[in-house]
Amino acid sequence: MPRPVLRWTTAAIALATAALAVPPAEAQAARESASAARYATPLPAATEIAPHAARGAADRKTERRHLVGAWSAATSRVPAVVGGQTIRMVVRISIGGTEARIRLSNVFGTRPVTFGRVRLGIQRAGARIKPGTNRSVTFGGRKSVTVAPGRAVWSDPIRGRFPRGSDLVISIYVPHTVRDVTGHERAYATTYLSRPGDHTRAESATAFTYTSVQWYFLDRVAVTAPATTRAVVAFGDSLTDGTGQEIDANRRWTDYLSHRLARVSARRRLSVLNAGIAGNRLLEPNVGPSGLSRFRRDALLQPGVRTVVVFIGINDISRGSVTSAQQLIDGYQRLIKAARAKRVRVLGATLTPFGGYATWTPEREEIRQQVNEWIRTSRAFDGVVDFDRAVRDPDAPDRLHPAYDAGDHLHMSDAGRKRLAYALNLRLL
């Protein structure tokens, strides 16, 4: 259940960056189907301020390096109100680099949002920051930025050393009340909310007296890494988002995959980006936009992406309006076409069992089996990740193995999520 966020309002301040030019980016991949009106007001095309291009003789020394996504959260409109306070979020990056950039999003907002001050540091514990690591973040050289509805903004480079696995602390002062918040509903991570005022510079946790388990506005962190370093995006629903883990545990299957990839040679290293939304469906909006409508933004436009693992569709079967396997197959083919157009590899993951779950029926199980057979045998994807075979009970193939079942017969235990990560053949990436 969403948690309410304590809010305060403050006197209006001058919007110093209102005139900041925002060049259009690529148009949002696909508009919602007619049923999207049930989810939210239609959104304007999402655009963003792109990271500044490298210039000058000094920058030519880094021509063999590029920007790669190090952390990501798929966003939607979250039921929260924030304002007049500082938001402090903690995110773990899956790849290291010599400089970092963050992206703040107002894609699902209906009014401009001003970010008064933003800083980035390294976590010490909780809301506390390691002394000396809390750096100012600028946008086009300015400390404040206003982002229009339907848009997102990349920061300037933040100099420093950011090792793989670092827990970054992003502190954002939001001076005005925001009601249509772009964010991530189920972060499975603690976000710290301050008493009124700008507390971005504080290294202590004293001002941060409230907590939430949502992420607000922040949807990407990227680092400058060697040109051989690329990213893999896990595109899915709650099984990717991490349902079943403890708060701040960082035990999504993508976290376990990141641990595996940390042991490969530097030449083959990949960043892992999580683009899961709990409750999400491929074909129609439910919790967040449909997978079809968000695939381009959340997967294909990630910095440095090489491969996308598509693991979505169980909610369409278990709780959606799908009545045949062909409906999902048609949806997957649209994702494959979009990925190929961007020269991105796309892997298909079979749908895991949900026998014993409240909405399971023999008819829905038959659809799941037909979809999985198509994923395995059609050769439509560039490769197959057989998650179903990895976690099913061999004595009852329509059910999760008891060791991998979190208890509701749909979501997975820590062992189950780890099993998913280790079932993926790294050569496919």
Short mmCIF file of all heavy atoms in Angstrom, two decimals, residues 36-92:
data_model
loop_
_atom_site.label_atom_id
_atom_site.label_comp_id
_atom_site.label_asym_id
_atom_site.label_seq_id
_atom_site.Cartn_x
_atom_site.Cartn_y
_atom_site.Cartn_z
N ALA A 36 -5.90 3.32 -22.12
CA ALA A 36 -4.97 4.07 -21.27
C ALA A 36 -5.68 5.19 -20.52
O ALA A 36 -5.22 5.62 -19.47
CB ALA A 36 -3.84 4.66 -22.12
N ALA A 37 -6.79 5.67 -21.07
CA ALA A 37 -7.50 6.75 -20.39
C ALA A 37 -7.96 6.35 -19.01
O ALA A 37 -8.17 7.19 -18.14
CB ALA A 37 -8.71 7.18 -21.24
N ARG A 38 -8.07 5.05 -18.78
CA ARG A 38 -8.46 4.58 -17.46
C ARG A 38 -7.35 4.76 -16.45
O ARG A 38 -7.56 4.71 -15.25
CB ARG A 38 -8.83 3.09 -17.52
CG ARG A 38 -10.07 2.82 -18.35
CD ARG A 38 -10.49 1.38 -18.26
NE ARG A 38 -9.54 0.49 -18.91
CZ ARG A 38 -8.74 -0.33 -18.25
NH1 ARG A 38 -8.74 -0.36 -16.94
NH2 ARG A 38 -7.93 -1.13 -18.92
N TYR A 39 -6.13 4.92 -16.94
CA TYR A 39 -4.98 5.02 -16.04
C TYR A 39 -4.64 6.45 -15.66
O TYR A 39 -4.48 6.78 -14.50
CB TYR A 39 -3.75 4.35 -16.68
CG TYR A 39 -2.48 4.65 -15.95
CD1 TYR A 39 -2.26 4.14 -14.68
CD2 TYR A 39 -1.52 5.49 -16.51
CE1 TYR A 39 -1.11 4.44 -13.99
CE2 TYR A 39 -0.38 5.78 -15.82
CZ TYR A 39 -0.17 5.25 -14.57
OH TYR A 39 0.97 5.55 -13.89
N ALA A 40 -4.54 7.32 -16.65
CA ALA A 40 -4.10 8.68 -16.36
C ALA A 40 -4.43 9.58 -17.53
O ALA A 40 -4.75 9.13 -18.62
CB ALA A 40 -2.60 8.71 -16.09
N THR A 41 -4.31 10.88 -17.28
CA THR A 41 -4.45 11.85 -18.35
C THR A 41 -3.37 11.60 -19.38
O THR A 41 -2.22 11.35 -19.04
CB THR A 41 -4.28 13.27 -17.78
OG1 THR A 41 -5.25 13.43 -16.75
CG2 THR A 41 -4.48 14.32 -18.85
N PRO A 42 -3.68 11.63 -20.69
CA PRO A 42 -2.66 11.40 -21.70
C PRO A 42 -1.47 12.32 -21.49
O PRO A 42 -1.61 13.50 -21.19
CB PRO A 42 -3.39 11.71 -23.02
CG PRO A 42 -4.84 11.47 -22.70
CD PRO A 42 -5.01 11.86 -21.25
N LEU A 43 -0.28 11.77 -21.68
CA LEU A 43 0.95 12.51 -21.42
C LEU A 43 1.47 13.18 -22.67
O LEU A 43 1.35 12.64 -23.77
CB LEU A 43 2.03 11.54 -20.91
CG LEU A 43 1.68 10.78 -19.63
CD1 LEU A 43 2.78 9.77 -19.34
CD2 LEU A 43 1.53 11.75 -18.48
N PRO A 44 2.12 14.32 -22.51
CA PRO A 44 2.83 14.89 -23.65
C PRO A 44 4.03 14.03 -23.97
O PRO A 44 4.48 13.24 -23.15
CB PRO A 44 3.26 16.28 -23.14
CG PRO A 44 3.31 16.12 -21.65
CD PRO A 44 2.24 15.13 -21.29
N ALA A 45 4.55 14.18 -25.19
CA ALA A 45 5.74 13.41 -25.56
C ALA A 45 6.87 13.69 -24.58
O ALA A 45 7.17 14.83 -24.29
CB ALA A 45 6.17 13.77 -26.98
N ALA A 46 7.50 12.64 -24.10
CA ALA A 46 8.57 12.81 -23.13
C ALA A 46 9.84 13.27 -23.82
O ALA A 46 10.28 12.69 -24.80
CB ALA A 46 8.82 11.48 -22.41
N THR A 47 10.40 14.33 -23.32
CA THR A 47 11.66 14.81 -23.85
C THR A 47 12.61 15.06 -22.70
O THR A 47 12.23 15.01 -21.54
CB THR A 47 11.48 16.13 -24.64
OG1 THR A 47 10.87 17.08 -23.78
CG2 THR A 47 10.59 15.91 -25.85
N GLU A 48 13.85 15.30 -22.99
CA GLU A 48 14.82 15.48 -21.92
C GLU A 48 15.95 16.38 -22.36
O GLU A 48 16.18 16.58 -23.56
CB GLU A 48 15.39 14.13 -21.50
CG GLU A 48 16.21 13.45 -22.57
CD GLU A 48 16.67 12.07 -22.13
OE1 GLU A 48 15.82 11.25 -21.77
OE2 GLU A 48 17.88 11.83 -22.16
N ILE A 49 16.64 16.93 -21.39
CA ILE A 49 17.89 17.63 -21.65
C ILE A 49 18.98 16.58 -21.71
O ILE A 49 19.21 15.86 -20.74
CB ILE A 49 18.21 18.64 -20.55
CG1 ILE A 49 17.06 19.67 -20.45
CG2 ILE A 49 19.52 19.35 -20.80
CD1 ILE A 49 17.21 20.63 -19.30
N ALA A 50 19.64 16.47 -22.85
CA ALA A 50 20.64 15.42 -23.01
C ALA A 50 21.92 15.76 -22.28
O ALA A 50 22.25 16.94 -22.07
CB ALA A 50 20.94 15.23 -24.50
N PRO A 51 22.71 14.73 -21.90
CA PRO A 51 24.03 15.00 -21.32
C PRO A 51 24.87 15.82 -22.29
O PRO A 51 24.84 15.58 -23.50
CB PRO A 51 24.62 13.60 -21.11
CG PRO A 51 23.45 12.69 -21.07
CD PRO A 51 22.43 13.32 -21.98
N HIS A 52 25.62 16.76 -21.76
CA HIS A 52 26.42 17.63 -22.61
C HIS A 52 27.51 16.84 -23.32
O HIS A 52 28.18 16.00 -22.73
CB HIS A 52 27.06 18.74 -21.78
CG HIS A 52 26.04 19.59 -21.10
ND1 HIS A 52 25.24 20.48 -21.77
CD2 HIS A 52 25.66 19.66 -19.79
CE1 HIS A 52 24.42 21.08 -20.91
NE2 HIS A 52 24.65 20.60 -19.72
N ALA A 53 27.71 17.12 -24.59
CA ALA A 53 28.75 16.44 -25.35
C ALA A 53 30.13 16.90 -24.89
O ALA A 53 30.34 18.05 -24.50
CB ALA A 53 28.58 16.76 -26.85
N ALA A 54 31.08 15.98 -24.95
CA ALA A 54 32.45 16.29 -24.55
C ALA A 54 33.09 17.20 -25.59
O ALA A 54 32.87 17.07 -26.78
CB ALA A 54 33.27 15.01 -24.42
N ARG A 55 33.86 18.16 -25.12
CA ARG A 55 34.52 19.10 -26.03
C ARG A 55 35.93 19.38 -25.53
O ARG A 55 36.24 19.25 -24.35
CB ARG A 55 33.75 20.42 -26.10
CG ARG A 55 32.31 20.32 -26.61
CD ARG A 55 31.69 21.70 -26.69
NE ARG A 55 30.32 21.64 -27.16
CZ ARG A 55 29.27 21.48 -26.39
NH1 ARG A 55 29.44 21.34 -25.08
NH2 ARG A 55 28.06 21.44 -26.89
N GLY A 56 36.78 19.80 -26.47
CA GLY A 56 38.10 20.29 -26.09
C GLY A 56 39.16 19.21 -26.08
O GLY A 56 38.90 18.01 -26.11
N ALA A 57 40.43 19.68 -26.05
CA ALA A 57 41.56 18.76 -26.10
C ALA A 57 41.59 17.82 -24.92
O ALA A 57 41.91 16.64 -25.05
CB ALA A 57 42.87 19.57 -26.17
N ALA A 58 41.27 18.33 -23.73
CA ALA A 58 41.31 17.48 -22.55
C ALA A 58 40.31 16.34 -22.67
O ALA A 58 40.57 15.21 -22.26
CB ALA A 58 41.01 18.30 -21.30
N ASP A 59 39.14 16.63 -23.27
CA ASP A 59 38.13 15.60 -23.39
C ASP A 59 38.49 14.54 -24.42
O ASP A 59 38.00 13.42 -24.37
CB ASP A 59 36.78 16.21 -23.75
CG ASP A 59 36.19 17.01 -22.60
OD1 ASP A 59 36.34 16.55 -21.46
OD2 ASP A 59 35.61 18.06 -22.85
N ARG A 60 39.37 14.89 -25.39
CA ARG A 60 39.74 13.91 -26.39
C ARG A 60 40.50 12.75 -25.78
O ARG A 60 40.59 11.67 -26.35
CB ARG A 60 40.56 14.58 -27.50
CG ARG A 60 39.67 15.38 -28.46
CD ARG A 60 40.41 15.72 -29.74
NE ARG A 60 41.42 16.73 -29.53
CZ ARG A 60 41.19 18.04 -29.61
NH1 ARG A 60 39.98 18.47 -29.87
NH2 ARG A 60 42.16 18.90 -29.42
N LYS A 61 41.06 12.96 -24.59
CA LYS A 61 41.75 11.87 -23.91
C LYS A 61 40.77 10.79 -23.47
O LYS A 61 41.17 9.67 -23.19
CB LYS A 61 42.50 12.41 -22.69
CG LYS A 61 43.61 13.39 -23.03
CD LYS A 61 44.27 13.90 -21.76
CE LYS A 61 45.36 14.91 -22.08
NZ LYS A 61 45.99 15.44 -20.83
N THR A 62 39.49 11.12 -23.39
CA THR A 62 38.50 10.15 -22.92
C THR A 62 37.56 9.71 -24.04
O THR A 62 36.46 9.27 -23.78
CB THR A 62 37.68 10.76 -21.78
OG1 THR A 62 36.97 11.91 -22.28
CG2 THR A 62 38.54 11.16 -20.61
N GLU A 63 38.02 9.82 -25.29
CA GLU A 63 37.17 9.45 -26.41
C GLU A 63 36.82 7.97 -26.40
O GLU A 63 35.83 7.57 -26.99
CB GLU A 63 37.84 9.84 -27.73
CG GLU A 63 37.80 11.35 -27.99
CD GLU A 63 38.50 11.73 -29.27
OE1 GLU A 63 39.10 10.83 -29.89
OE2 GLU A 63 38.45 12.91 -29.63
N ARG A 64 37.64 7.15 -25.72
CA ARG A 64 37.37 5.73 -25.66
C ARG A 64 36.48 5.37 -24.47
O ARG A 64 36.39 4.21 -24.09
CB ARG A 64 38.68 4.94 -25.61
CG ARG A 64 39.54 5.12 -26.86
CD ARG A 64 40.82 4.31 -26.78
NE ARG A 64 40.55 2.88 -26.71
CZ ARG A 64 40.32 2.10 -27.76
NH1 ARG A 64 40.30 2.62 -28.97
NH2 ARG A 64 40.10 0.81 -27.61
N ARG A 65 35.89 6.37 -23.87
CA ARG A 65 34.97 6.16 -22.76
C ARG A 65 33.60 6.71 -23.15
O ARG A 65 33.49 7.56 -24.04
CB ARG A 65 35.49 6.85 -21.50
CG ARG A 65 36.87 6.36 -21.09
CD ARG A 65 37.41 7.13 -19.90
NE ARG A 65 36.69 6.81 -18.68
CZ ARG A 65 36.93 5.74 -17.92
NH1 ARG A 65 37.85 4.87 -18.29
NH2 ARG A 65 36.26 5.52 -16.82
N HIS A 66 32.57 6.22 -22.51
CA HIS A 66 31.22 6.69 -22.84
C HIS A 66 30.32 6.60 -21.61
O HIS A 66 30.71 6.09 -20.57
CB HIS A 66 30.64 5.91 -24.03
CG HIS A 66 30.32 4.48 -23.73
ND1 HIS A 66 29.42 3.74 -24.46
CD2 HIS A 66 30.79 3.62 -22.77
CE1 HIS A 66 29.33 2.51 -23.97
NE2 HIS A 66 30.16 2.42 -22.96
N LEU A 67 29.11 7.12 -21.76
CA LEU A 67 28.16 7.14 -20.67
C LEU A 67 27.38 5.83 -20.64
O LEU A 67 26.83 5.40 -21.66
CB LEU A 67 27.20 8.32 -20.85
CG LEU A 67 26.44 8.80 -19.61
CD1 LEU A 67 27.41 9.41 -18.60
CD2 LEU A 67 25.39 9.83 -20.01
N VAL A 68 27.33 5.21 -19.48
CA VAL A 68 26.63 3.93 -19.31
C VAL A 68 25.71 4.02 -18.10
O VAL A 68 26.11 4.52 -17.04
CB VAL A 68 27.62 2.76 -19.10
CG1 VAL A 68 26.87 1.44 -18.95
CG2 VAL A 68 28.61 2.67 -20.25
N GLY A 69 24.49 3.54 -18.24
CA GLY A 69 23.58 3.50 -17.11
C GLY A 69 24.14 2.63 -16.00
O GLY A 69 24.62 1.52 -16.23
N ALA A 70 24.07 3.14 -14.76
CA ALA A 70 24.58 2.40 -13.60
C ALA A 70 23.47 2.02 -12.64
O ALA A 70 23.63 1.13 -11.80
CB ALA A 70 25.63 3.22 -12.87
N TRP A 71 22.36 2.72 -12.71
CA TRP A 71 21.17 2.44 -11.89
C TRP A 71 19.97 3.02 -12.60
O TRP A 71 20.07 4.03 -13.30
CB TRP A 71 21.31 3.07 -10.51
CG TRP A 71 20.07 2.93 -9.66
CD1 TRP A 71 19.75 1.90 -8.84
CD2 TRP A 71 18.97 3.85 -9.60
NE1 TRP A 71 18.52 2.11 -8.26
CE2 TRP A 71 18.02 3.31 -8.69
CE3 TRP A 71 18.69 5.09 -10.19
CZ2 TRP A 71 16.83 3.95 -8.39
CZ3 TRP A 71 17.49 5.72 -9.90
CH2 TRP A 71 16.58 5.16 -9.01
N SER A 72 18.83 2.36 -12.41
CA SER A 72 17.62 2.87 -13.05
C SER A 72 16.39 2.43 -12.27
O SER A 72 16.40 1.39 -11.59
CB SER A 72 17.52 2.32 -14.48
OG SER A 72 16.36 2.81 -15.13
N ALA A 73 15.34 3.23 -12.35
CA ALA A 73 14.03 2.86 -11.82
C ALA A 73 12.99 3.27 -12.85
O ALA A 73 12.96 4.42 -13.29
CB ALA A 73 13.76 3.55 -10.49
N ALA A 74 12.14 2.31 -13.24
CA ALA A 74 11.05 2.63 -14.15
C ALA A 74 10.01 3.45 -13.38
O ALA A 74 9.67 3.12 -12.24
CB ALA A 74 10.42 1.35 -14.69
N THR A 75 9.50 4.49 -13.99
CA THR A 75 8.63 5.42 -13.27
C THR A 75 7.19 5.39 -13.77
O THR A 75 6.88 4.94 -14.88
CB THR A 75 9.15 6.86 -13.39
OG1 THR A 75 9.28 7.21 -14.77
CG2 THR A 75 10.49 7.01 -12.69
N SER A 76 6.32 5.89 -12.91
CA SER A 76 4.93 6.13 -13.23
C SER A 76 4.47 7.28 -12.35
O SER A 76 5.30 7.92 -11.68
CB SER A 76 4.08 4.87 -12.97
OG SER A 76 4.15 4.50 -11.61
N ARG A 77 3.20 7.57 -12.30
CA ARG A 77 2.69 8.60 -11.39
C ARG A 77 2.42 7.94 -10.04
O ARG A 77 1.63 7.00 -9.95
CB ARG A 77 1.43 9.24 -11.95
CG ARG A 77 0.92 10.42 -11.12
CD ARG A 77 -0.30 11.04 -11.77
NE ARG A 77 0.03 11.55 -13.10
CZ ARG A 77 -0.88 11.92 -13.99
NH1 ARG A 77 -2.16 11.80 -13.72
NH2 ARG A 77 -0.50 12.38 -15.18
N VAL A 78 3.09 8.41 -8.99
CA VAL A 78 2.94 7.78 -7.68
C VAL A 78 2.00 8.61 -6.80
O VAL A 78 1.95 9.83 -6.91
CB VAL A 78 4.30 7.60 -6.97
CG1 VAL A 78 5.21 6.71 -7.79
CG2 VAL A 78 4.97 8.93 -6.70
N PRO A 79 1.25 7.95 -5.93
CA PRO A 79 0.31 8.66 -5.05
C PRO A 79 1.03 9.30 -3.87
O PRO A 79 1.09 8.73 -2.78
CB PRO A 79 -0.64 7.54 -4.59
CG PRO A 79 0.19 6.30 -4.65
CD PRO A 79 1.16 6.49 -5.79
N ALA A 80 1.61 10.44 -4.10
CA ALA A 80 2.36 11.14 -3.06
C ALA A 80 2.27 12.64 -3.30
O ALA A 80 2.00 13.09 -4.42
CB ALA A 80 3.82 10.69 -3.08
N VAL A 81 2.49 13.40 -2.25
CA VAL A 81 2.60 14.86 -2.34
C VAL A 81 3.86 15.25 -1.58
O VAL A 81 4.04 14.87 -0.43
CB VAL A 81 1.38 15.56 -1.72
CG1 VAL A 81 1.53 17.07 -1.82
CG2 VAL A 81 0.10 15.10 -2.41
N VAL A 82 4.74 15.98 -2.23
CA VAL A 82 5.97 16.43 -1.59
C VAL A 82 6.14 17.92 -1.82
O VAL A 82 5.55 18.50 -2.73
CB VAL A 82 7.21 15.68 -2.14
CG1 VAL A 82 7.11 14.19 -1.85
CG2 VAL A 82 7.37 15.91 -3.65
N GLY A 83 6.96 18.56 -1.00
CA GLY A 83 7.22 19.97 -1.21
C GLY A 83 7.68 20.69 0.03
O GLY A 83 7.32 20.31 1.15
N GLY A 84 8.50 21.72 -0.16
CA GLY A 84 9.02 22.51 0.94
C GLY A 84 10.00 21.75 1.80
O GLY A 84 10.26 22.13 2.94
N GLN A 85 10.59 20.69 1.27
CA GLN A 85 11.44 19.81 2.06
C GLN A 85 12.52 19.20 1.17
O GLN A 85 12.52 19.37 -0.05
CB GLN A 85 10.61 18.70 2.69
CG GLN A 85 9.98 17.78 1.66
CD GLN A 85 8.90 16.90 2.22
OE1 GLN A 85 7.78 16.87 1.72
NE2 GLN A 85 9.19 16.17 3.28
N THR A 86 13.42 18.48 1.82
CA THR A 86 14.49 17.79 1.10
C THR A 86 14.20 16.30 1.09
O THR A 86 13.85 15.71 2.11
CB THR A 86 15.84 18.05 1.77
OG1 THR A 86 16.08 19.46 1.80
CG2 THR A 86 16.97 17.36 1.03
N ILE A 87 14.35 15.71 -0.08
CA ILE A 87 14.18 14.26 -0.26
C ILE A 87 15.57 13.65 -0.40
O ILE A 87 16.37 14.09 -1.23
CB ILE A 87 13.35 13.96 -1.52
CG1 ILE A 87 11.99 14.66 -1.44
CG2 ILE A 87 13.20 12.47 -1.73
CD1 ILE A 87 11.24 14.67 -2.76
N ARG A 88 15.86 12.64 0.39
CA ARG A 88 17.18 11.97 0.35
C ARG A 88 16.97 10.50 0.01
O ARG A 88 16.38 9.75 0.78
CB ARG A 88 17.91 12.15 1.68
CG ARG A 88 19.28 11.50 1.72
CD ARG A 88 20.14 12.06 2.86
NE ARG A 88 20.64 13.40 2.53
CZ ARG A 88 21.44 14.11 3.32
NH1 ARG A 88 21.80 13.63 4.51
NH2 ARG A 88 21.87 15.31 2.94
N MET A 89 17.48 10.10 -1.16
CA MET A 89 17.31 8.73 -1.65
C MET A 89 18.65 8.02 -1.75
O MET A 89 19.68 8.65 -2.01
CB MET A 89 16.62 8.75 -3.02
CG MET A 89 15.19 9.26 -2.97
SD MET A 89 14.47 9.63 -4.59
CE MET A 89 15.31 11.18 -4.99
N VAL A 90 18.63 6.72 -1.56
CA VAL A 90 19.84 5.90 -1.61
C VAL A 90 19.68 4.87 -2.72
O VAL A 90 18.68 4.13 -2.75
CB VAL A 90 20.08 5.18 -0.27
CG1 VAL A 90 21.37 4.36 -0.33
CG2 VAL A 90 20.13 6.18 0.88
N VAL A 91 20.63 4.84 -3.64
CA VAL A 91 20.59 3.88 -4.75
C VAL A 91 21.96 3.23 -4.90
O VAL A 91 22.99 3.87 -4.71
CB VAL A 91 20.16 4.55 -6.07
CG1 VAL A 91 18.79 5.18 -5.93
CG2 VAL A 91 21.17 5.59 -6.53
N ARG A 92 21.96 1.97 -5.26
CA ARG A 92 23.21 1.21 -5.42
C ARG A 92 23.54 1.07 -6.90
O ARG A 92 22.74 0.54 -7.68
CB ARG A 92 23.08 -0.16 -4.77
CG ARG A 92 24.34 -1.03 -4.90
CD ARG A 92 24.26 -2.24 -4.00
NE ARG A 92 24.28 -1.82 -2.59
CZ ARG A 92 24.20 -2.67 -1.56
NH1 ARG A 92 24.07 -3.98 -1.79
NH2 ARG A 92 24.23 -2.22 -0.32
#
